[in-house]
Amino acid sequence: FPLPSPLPQHRRRRPWPSFTPGPPLTPNLSLSALLAPVVAMVFFFKGCDDRFKYYMGKDKFENELLIKYGWKKDVWFHVDDLSSAHVYLRLPKGIKIDTIPEAVLEECAQLVKANSIQGNKLKNVKIVYTMWANLKKRKSMAVGQIGFHDTKELKYTKVEVRKNEIINRINKTKVEKESDFIKKSWEDHQKKMRKKQKEKKKKEAEEQKKAIEKAKQEAELREYKSLQVDDDAELNTDINMTAEEYEDDFM
């Protein structure tokens, strides 16, 4: 039998290219770690005045949480008309929004500008701020979106340029905490406020009770003095009577 003719060049099989597997993309992560939900974070900062606290959410979902669990003494900051982080300033006792120190106000404004993708690149950025209680959230709003109860309560400041010395100093103090901390601290604060309110009402009730008792004692004292005056008047009348008048009165 004749030998088969060799296959044409274009029909011959080519050897598979050699392949050396590389290291896994996530060598230090287990499957459970990969499937675990992403933990929401909130960032806390310290500024030039230790009496004040700055904090902000990592993204719009944390912003939603901060809107819900804000405190009445919190001041909200945002870049006006641009997307930015929601920065909050917690006021200490005795400080109002109109008496925030200029240095603290500048740090909050710088922090907001630095955490705005577009605002960070611009000059003369306008910053809006107001009390947390003035924030208005409707169900129809998108996640992280906010409105206001009264636009007359809005205040503004301007950041001419980014000051890296301020941003770098503040960022060095950054502490990350899980978002559950915000809810827990709010609940603890509410318990504390309810306890104070209860103690205040109890004190007011005790003071009112003391005032009523005092008024009663004063009324009884006035009545006693009035009776004493009447008795003294009758006694004085008897003393000034003659023997004949006394005898006639007795008869």
Side-chain angles (χ1 to χ4, degrees):
F1 298 96
L3 294 175
S5 59
L7 291 172
Q9 186 70 22
H10 68 277
R11 293 183 61 186
R12 294 180 181 177
R13 287 187 176 181
R14 295 179 181 178
W16 289 97
S18 60
F19 175 76
T20 304
L25 296 178
T26 55
N28 298 325
L29 294 179
S30 62
L31 180 60
S32 59
L34 290 171
L35 297 177
V38 178
V39 178
M41 302 299 293
V42 177
F43 305 136
F44 290 83
F45 306 89
K46 292 182 180 179
C48 60
D49 193 328
D50 291 337
R51 296 177 300 165
F52 297 85
K53 292 181 180 179
Y54 313 154
Y55 67 97
M56 69 180 187
K58 184 178 181 180
D59 54 34
K60 61 182 181 180
F61 297 101
E62 280 75 45
N63 290 339
E64 197 75 12
L65 191 72
L66 300 183
I67 293 168
K68 183 177 180 180
Y69 293 109
W71 294 17
K72 289 183 178 180
K73 60 182 179 179
D74 286 349
V75 182
W76 171 88
F77 288 80
H78 197 275
V79 174
D80 193 36
D81 295 330
L82 293 176
S83 175
S84 77
H86 294 210
V87 173
Y88 288 82
L89 169 67
R90 183 151 295 165
L91 301 179
K93 186 177 181 180
I95 302 294
K96 297 182 179 180
I97 191 170
D98 293 324
T99 60
I100 298 173
E102 287 295 330
V104 174
L105 189 62
E106 182 183 18
E107 287 184 341
C108 291
Q110 284 284 342
L111 190 58
V112 172
K113 172 181 166 59
N115 286 276
S116 172
I117 296 175
Q118 187 176 356
N120 190 41
K121 303 173 184 177
L122 302 175
K123 294 183 178 181
N124 296 318
V125 175
K126 191 176 181 182
I127 308 298
V128 58
Y129 63 103
T130 190
M131 296 303 297
W132 168 84
N134 192 35
L135 301 181
K136 183 179 181 180
K137 180 69 179 182
R138 295 191 299 268
K139 292 182 179 180
S140 59
M141 290 180 173
V143 175
Q145 187 179 3
I146 201 67
F148 309 102
H149 292 288
D150 187 357
T151 55
K152 294 180 182 179
E153 296 296 322
L154 301 180
K155 298 183 179 297
Y156 299 91
T157 187
K158 185 176 288 187
V159 179
E160 295 182 359
V161 294
R162 170 177 170 142
K163 294 184 178 179
N164 289 327
E165 63 273 18
I166 292 179
I167 298 302
N168 293 339
R169 173 169 50 80
I170 293 175
N171 281 335
K172 288 179 181 179
T173 69
K174 182 171 73 172
V175 175
E176 298 184 13
K177 295 185 179 181
E178 295 185 9
S179 58
D180 289 343
F181 174 81
I182 290 295
K183 182 179 179 181
K184 186 179 184 305
S185 62
W186 179 84
E187 290 173 345
D188 292 342
H189 177 66
Q190 292 299 311
K191 289 180 181 178
K192 186 177 179 181
M193 295 303 294
R194 285 194 296 269
K195 184 179 179 180
K196 281 187 176 181
Q197 190 67 21
K198 187 176 180 180
E199 291 175 351
K200 182 181 178 181
K201 288 183 178 180
K202 183 180 179 180
K203 185 177 180 181
E204 289 175 350
E206 290 176 351
E207 290 177 351
Q208 186 177 8
K209 184 179 179 181
K210 289 180 180 179
I212 293 173
E213 291 177 353
K214 184 178 179 181
K216 184 179 178 181
Q217 290 175 359
E218 290 176 350
E220 291 175 350
L221 182 61
R222 286 194 299 269
E223 185 178 358
Y224 173 75
K225 287 183 178 180
S226 176
L227 293 173
Q228 191 176 23
V229 169
D230 293 341
D231 292 342
D232 291 343
E234 292 180 2
L235 182 59
N236 291 336
T237 302
D238 293 342
I239 292 174
N240 295 327
M241 291 173 65
T242 62
E244 291 78 6
E245 290 174 338
Y246 184 82
E247 184 177 354
D248 293 340
D249 187 62
F250 180 76
M251 295 300 292

